[in-house]
């Protein structure tokens, strides 16, 4: 059974920072695709950033230069460092994993087989 558990969400003022963590457990290779998504209630889930098994990183245009994704393979953990937060970054943030390490699904949420329960990020102006 694969489990992804996010942590690190919270409430901050605009311009602040947060660091999200996603710990993976269960039968899943460390060499997998891991990604972060976010969703505002009533809107579609959108991709934020991903990390392929080969080390390729992709970001959504809306977060480039502000967010940084990283991973610690020894801990099977992926992080999302969020700086210069804006009110429009407010959302539930989810991590996802795909056993296809080259992330063929990219930043589109459909098809990722493994998801965490989410952690809420709220940015006030």
């Amino acid at each position: 059974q694969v489990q992804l558990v996010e942590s690190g969400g919270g409430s901050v003022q605009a311009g602040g920072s947060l660091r999200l963590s996603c710990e993976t457990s269960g039968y899943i290779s460390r060499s997998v695709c891991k990604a972060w998504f976010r969703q505002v209630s009533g809107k579609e889930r959108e991709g934020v950033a991903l990390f392929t098994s080969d080390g390729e990183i992709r970001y959504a245009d809306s977060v480039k230069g502000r967010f940084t994704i990283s991973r610690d393979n020894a801990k099977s953990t992926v992080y999302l460092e969020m700086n210069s937060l804006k009110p429009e970054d407010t959302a539930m943030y989810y991590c996802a994993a795909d056993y296809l390490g080259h992330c063929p699904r990219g930043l589109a949420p459909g098809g990722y087989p493994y998801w965490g329960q989410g952690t809420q990020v709220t940015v006030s102006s």
Side-chain angles (χ1 to χ4, degrees), residues 21-78:
S21 299
C22 175
E23 295 186 40
T24 304
S25 62
Y27 183 69
I28 186 169
S29 169
R30 291 172 180 165
S31 297
V32 297
C33 166
K34 290 188 177 175
W36 285 97
F37 293 83
R38 65 186 181 186
Q39 188 171 23
V40 176
S41 180
K43 295 188 177 181
E44 292 187 355
R45 191 168 296 188
E46 64 171 351
V48 176
L50 64 80
F51 207 126
T52 73
S53 60
D54 291 336
E56 178 188 353
I57 293 175
R58 303 176 210 166
Y59 295 101
D61 289 342
S62 59
V63 306
K64 282 181 181 177
R66 300 188 300 120
F67 290 13
T68 302
I69 188 172
S70 61
R71 65 194 298 168
D72 183 337
N73 284 336
K75 298 180 180 179
S76 297
T77 301
V78 62

Side-chain angles (χ1 to χ4, degrees), residues 10-11 17 34 43 47 59 117 125:
S11 297
S17 299
K34 290 188 177 175
K43 295 188 177 181
Y59 295 101
Q117 83 289 347
S125 57

Side-chain angles (χ1 to χ4, degrees), residues 79-99:
Y79 305 97
L80 186 68
E81 184 78 34
M82 306 186 295
N83 298 312
S84 302
L85 282 162
K86 304 175 181 179
E88 51 263 44
D89 294 318
T90 295
M92 184 71 79
Y93 283 72
Y94 299 89
C95 69
D98 190 348
Y99 45 81

